[in-house]
Amino acid sequence: MGAGVLFVDAQDRVLLVEPTYKDHWELPGGVVEAEESPYVAAVREIQEELDLTVRPGRLLVVDWVPSGVIPEDGVMVVFDGGVLEGAQTAAITVRAEELRGWAWCDAQAVTRLLPPGLARRTMAALRARTDGTTRYLEDGVAVV
């Protein structure tokens, strides 16, 4: 299971990170450890990756992911990180052992930088944030 956080800026661009251990960008977040809740994992991962202490908001997306990108099938959740203001953005510290960098990305950049399923999940999370819903997805595609 994995947990991520969707942060946006005032222009509704999405914060993406570039991990050192992967060949693609992704949402901030990571693997939920044994006996850890997805919410606690999201808070921990944001602290580890960006050196930000945050309390994410509501659940935006639950996404079942088939095996392929990851060795086994899994469930990914995305929480609402809200709008990061200038001072919060300036406080981001990239930890070299975790990330090469981060960027604010519009929809075109999201679809270019992320693998297809993750791009669909990210865009669904952005729509859920905007319309106040929670979405259930399978490989990034809304089922219900």
Side-chain angles (χ1 to χ4, degrees), residues 34-45:
E35 302 301 319
E36 182 178 51
S37 76
Y39 188 86
V40 169
V43 170
R44 175 184 53 75
E45 288 286 346

mmCIF file with all atom_site columns, all heavy atoms in Angstrom, residues 34-45:
data_model
loop_
_atom_site.group_PDB
_atom_site.id
_atom_site.type_symbol
_atom_site.label_atom_id
_atom_site.label_alt_id
_atom_site.label_comp_id
_atom_site.label_asym_id
_atom_site.label_entity_id
_atom_site.label_seq_id
_atom_site.pdbx_PDB_ins_code
_atom_site.Cartn_x
_atom_site.Cartn_y
_atom_site.Cartn_z
_atom_site.occupancy
_atom_site.B_iso_or_equiv
_atom_site.pdbx_formal_charge
_atom_site.auth_seq_id
_atom_site.auth_comp_id
_atom_site.auth_asym_id
_atom_site.auth_atom_id
_atom_site.pdbx_PDB_model_num
ATOM 1  N N   . ALA A 1 34 ? 4.680  -1.506 7.883  1.00 0.00 ? 34 ALA A N   1
ATOM 2  C CA  . ALA A 1 34 ? 3.907  -2.422 8.728  1.00 0.00 ? 34 ALA A CA  1
ATOM 3  C C   . ALA A 1 34 ? 3.406  -1.694 9.973  1.00 0.00 ? 34 ALA A C   1
ATOM 4  O O   . ALA A 1 34 ? 4.146  -0.913 10.590 1.00 0.00 ? 34 ALA A O   1
ATOM 5  C CB  . ALA A 1 34 ? 4.768  -3.615 9.129  1.00 0.00 ? 34 ALA A CB  1
ATOM 6  N N   . GLU A 1 35 ? 2.158  -1.922 10.295 1.00 0.00 ? 35 GLU A N   1
ATOM 7  C CA  . GLU A 1 35 ? 1.507  -1.339 11.480 1.00 0.00 ? 35 GLU A CA  1
ATOM 8  C C   . GLU A 1 35 ? 1.408  0.183  11.425 1.00 0.00 ? 35 GLU A C   1
ATOM 9  O O   . GLU A 1 35 ? 1.260  0.837  12.451 1.00 0.00 ? 35 GLU A O   1
ATOM 10 C CB  . GLU A 1 35 ? 2.226  -1.778 12.772 1.00 0.00 ? 35 GLU A CB  1
ATOM 11 C CG  . GLU A 1 35 ? 2.288  -3.274 12.973 1.00 0.00 ? 35 GLU A CG  1
ATOM 12 C CD  . GLU A 1 35 ? 0.903  -3.918 13.034 1.00 0.00 ? 35 GLU A CD  1
ATOM 13 O OE1 . GLU A 1 35 ? -0.004 -3.356 13.653 1.00 0.00 ? 35 GLU A OE1 1
ATOM 14 O OE2 . GLU A 1 35 ? 0.752  -4.998 12.423 1.00 0.00 ? 35 GLU A OE2 1
ATOM 15 N N   . GLU A 1 36 ? 1.480  0.764  10.226 1.00 0.00 ? 36 GLU A N   1
ATOM 16 C CA  . GLU A 1 36 ? 1.376  2.211  10.040 1.00 0.00 ? 36 GLU A CA  1
ATOM 17 C C   . GLU A 1 36 ? 0.125  2.496  9.224  1.00 0.00 ? 36 GLU A C   1
ATOM 18 O O   . GLU A 1 36 ? -0.149 1.808  8.243  1.00 0.00 ? 36 GLU A O   1
ATOM 19 C CB  . GLU A 1 36 ? 2.619  2.706  9.304  1.00 0.00 ? 36 GLU A CB  1
ATOM 20 C CG  . GLU A 1 36 ? 2.672  4.193  9.074  1.00 0.00 ? 36 GLU A CG  1
ATOM 21 C CD  . GLU A 1 36 ? 3.959  4.623  8.369  1.00 0.00 ? 36 GLU A CD  1
ATOM 22 O OE1 . GLU A 1 36 ? 4.306  4.034  7.323  1.00 0.00 ? 36 GLU A OE1 1
ATOM 23 O OE2 . GLU A 1 36 ? 4.604  5.561  8.860  1.00 0.00 ? 36 GLU A OE2 1
ATOM 24 N N   . SER A 1 37 ? -0.619 3.509  9.599  1.00 0.00 ? 37 SER A N   1
ATOM 25 C CA  . SER A 1 37 ? -1.796 3.877  8.815  1.00 0.00 ? 37 SER A CA  1
ATOM 26 C C   . SER A 1 37 ? -1.358 4.645  7.572  1.00 0.00 ? 37 SER A C   1
ATOM 27 O O   . SER A 1 37 ? -0.283 5.260  7.554  1.00 0.00 ? 37 SER A O   1
ATOM 28 C CB  . SER A 1 37 ? -2.745 4.737  9.645  1.00 0.00 ? 37 SER A CB  1
ATOM 29 O OG  . SER A 1 37 ? -2.257 6.063  9.749  1.00 0.00 ? 37 SER A OG  1
ATOM 30 N N   . PRO A 1 38 ? -2.179 4.636  6.534  1.00 0.00 ? 38 PRO A N   1
ATOM 31 C CA  . PRO A 1 38 ? -1.841 5.427  5.343  1.00 0.00 ? 38 PRO A CA  1
ATOM 32 C C   . PRO A 1 38 ? -1.665 6.914  5.656  1.00 0.00 ? 38 PRO A C   1
ATOM 33 O O   . PRO A 1 38 ? -0.772 7.564  5.101  1.00 0.00 ? 38 PRO A O   1
ATOM 34 C CB  . PRO A 1 38 ? -3.026 5.184  4.406  1.00 0.00 ? 38 PRO A CB  1
ATOM 35 C CG  . PRO A 1 38 ? -3.558 3.850  4.815  1.00 0.00 ? 38 PRO A CG  1
ATOM 36 C CD  . PRO A 1 38 ? -3.367 3.805  6.309  1.00 0.00 ? 38 PRO A CD  1
ATOM 37 N N   . TYR A 1 39 ? -2.486 7.442  6.546  1.00 0.00 ? 39 TYR A N   1
ATOM 38 C CA  . TYR A 1 39 ? -2.381 8.860  6.889  1.00 0.00 ? 39 TYR A CA  1
ATOM 39 C C   . TYR A 1 39 ? -1.041 9.169  7.551  1.00 0.00 ? 39 TYR A C   1
ATOM 40 O O   . TYR A 1 39 ? -0.341 10.118 7.174  1.00 0.00 ? 39 TYR A O   1
ATOM 41 C CB  . TYR A 1 39 ? -3.542 9.274  7.797  1.00 0.00 ? 39 TYR A CB  1
ATOM 42 C CG  . TYR A 1 39 ? -3.608 10.762 8.037  1.00 0.00 ? 39 TYR A CG  1
ATOM 43 C CD1 . TYR A 1 39 ? -4.281 11.594 7.149  1.00 0.00 ? 39 TYR A CD1 1
ATOM 44 C CD2 . TYR A 1 39 ? -2.996 11.341 9.140  1.00 0.00 ? 39 TYR A CD2 1
ATOM 45 C CE1 . TYR A 1 39 ? -4.342 12.969 7.354  1.00 0.00 ? 39 TYR A CE1 1
ATOM 46 C CE2 . TYR A 1 39 ? -3.047 12.716 9.354  1.00 0.00 ? 39 TYR A CE2 1
ATOM 47 C CZ  . TYR A 1 39 ? -3.719 13.521 8.467  1.00 0.00 ? 39 TYR A CZ  1
ATOM 48 O OH  . TYR A 1 39 ? -3.771 14.883 8.673  1.00 0.00 ? 39 TYR A OH  1
ATOM 49 N N   . VAL A 1 40 ? -0.664 8.343  8.532  1.00 0.00 ? 40 VAL A N   1
ATOM 50 C CA  . VAL A 1 40 ? 0.612  8.535  9.227  1.00 0.00 ? 40 VAL A CA  1
ATOM 51 C C   . VAL A 1 40 ? 1.776  8.372  8.243  1.00 0.00 ? 40 VAL A C   1
ATOM 52 O O   . VAL A 1 40 ? 2.754  9.123  8.296  1.00 0.00 ? 40 VAL A O   1
ATOM 53 C CB  . VAL A 1 40 ? 0.735  7.569  10.428 1.00 0.00 ? 40 VAL A CB  1
ATOM 54 C CG1 . VAL A 1 40 ? 2.146  7.557  11.004 1.00 0.00 ? 40 VAL A CG1 1
ATOM 55 C CG2 . VAL A 1 40 ? -0.280 7.947  11.502 1.00 0.00 ? 40 VAL A CG2 1
ATOM 56 N N   . ALA A 1 41 ? 1.664  7.423  7.327  1.00 0.00 ? 41 ALA A N   1
ATOM 57 C CA  . ALA A 1 41 ? 2.706  7.234  6.311  1.00 0.00 ? 41 ALA A CA  1
ATOM 58 C C   . ALA A 1 41 ? 2.844  8.481  5.444  1.00 0.00 ? 41 ALA A C   1
ATOM 59 O O   . ALA A 1 41 ? 3.963  8.902  5.131  1.00 0.00 ? 41 ALA A O   1
ATOM 60 C CB  . ALA A 1 41 ? 2.377  6.022  5.446  1.00 0.00 ? 41 ALA A CB  1
ATOM 61 N N   . ALA A 1 42 ? 1.728  9.071  5.044  1.00 0.00 ? 42 ALA A N   1
ATOM 62 C CA  . ALA A 1 42 ? 1.776  10.281 4.215  1.00 0.00 ? 42 ALA A CA  1
ATOM 63 C C   . ALA A 1 42 ? 2.482  11.415 4.956  1.00 0.00 ? 42 ALA A C   1
ATOM 64 O O   . ALA A 1 42 ? 3.356  12.086 4.388  1.00 0.00 ? 42 ALA A O   1
ATOM 65 C CB  . ALA A 1 42 ? 0.361  10.695 3.808  1.00 0.00 ? 42 ALA A CB  1
ATOM 66 N N   . VAL A 1 43 ? 2.141  11.614 6.219  1.00 0.00 ? 43 VAL A N   1
ATOM 67 C CA  . VAL A 1 43 ? 2.785  12.662 7.023  1.00 0.00 ? 43 VAL A CA  1
ATOM 68 C C   . VAL A 1 43 ? 4.284  12.392 7.132  1.00 0.00 ? 43 VAL A C   1
ATOM 69 O O   . VAL A 1 43 ? 5.117  13.290 6.933  1.00 0.00 ? 43 VAL A O   1
ATOM 70 C CB  . VAL A 1 43 ? 2.128  12.749 8.420  1.00 0.00 ? 43 VAL A CB  1
ATOM 71 C CG1 . VAL A 1 43 ? 2.932  13.649 9.352  1.00 0.00 ? 43 VAL A CG1 1
ATOM 72 C CG2 . VAL A 1 43 ? 0.687  13.227 8.307  1.00 0.00 ? 43 VAL A CG2 1
ATOM 73 N N   . ARG A 1 44 ? 4.654  11.153 7.424  1.00 0.00 ? 44 ARG A N   1
ATOM 74 C CA  . ARG A 1 44 ? 6.064  10.780 7.564  1.00 0.00 ? 44 ARG A CA  1
ATOM 75 C C   . ARG A 1 44 ? 6.830  10.998 6.255  1.00 0.00 ? 44 ARG A C   1
ATOM 76 O O   . ARG A 1 44 ? 7.923  11.566 6.244  1.00 0.00 ? 44 ARG A O   1
ATOM 77 C CB  . ARG A 1 44 ? 6.183  9.315  8.016  1.00 0.00 ? 44 ARG A CB  1
ATOM 78 C CG  . ARG A 1 44 ? 7.625  8.797  8.068  1.00 0.00 ? 44 ARG A CG  1
ATOM 79 C CD  . ARG A 1 44 ? 7.697  7.325  8.427  1.00 0.00 ? 44 ARG A CD  1
ATOM 80 N NE  . ARG A 1 44 ? 6.880  6.454  7.602  1.00 0.00 ? 44 ARG A NE  1
ATOM 81 C CZ  . ARG A 1 44 ? 7.163  6.085  6.346  1.00 0.00 ? 44 ARG A CZ  1
ATOM 82 N NH1 . ARG A 1 44 ? 8.255  6.546  5.745  1.00 0.00 ? 44 ARG A NH1 1
ATOM 83 N NH2 . ARG A 1 44 ? 6.362  5.266  5.682  1.00 0.00 ? 44 ARG A NH2 1
ATOM 84 N N   . GLU A 1 45 ? 6.248  10.532 5.159  1.00 0.00 ? 45 GLU A N   1
ATOM 85 C CA  . GLU A 1 45 ? 6.923  10.651 3.864  1.00 0.00 ? 45 GLU A CA  1
ATOM 86 C C   . GLU A 1 45 ? 7.133  12.108 3.461  1.00 0.00 ? 45 GLU A C   1
ATOM 87 O O   . GLU A 1 45 ? 8.180  12.453 2.901  1.00 0.00 ? 45 GLU A O   1
ATOM 88 C CB  . GLU A 1 45 ? 6.139  9.899  2.785  1.00 0.00 ? 45 GLU A CB  1
ATOM 89 C CG  . GLU A 1 45 ? 6.232  8.401  2.903  1.00 0.00 ? 45 GLU A CG  1
ATOM 90 C CD  . GLU A 1 45 ? 7.581  7.840  2.461  1.00 0.00 ? 45 GLU A CD  1
ATOM 91 O OE1 . GLU A 1 45 ? 8.370  8.560  1.812  1.00 0.00 ? 45 GLU A OE1 1
ATOM 92 O OE2 . GLU A 1 45 ? 7.844  6.666  2.744  1.00 0.00 ? 45 GLU A OE2 1
#
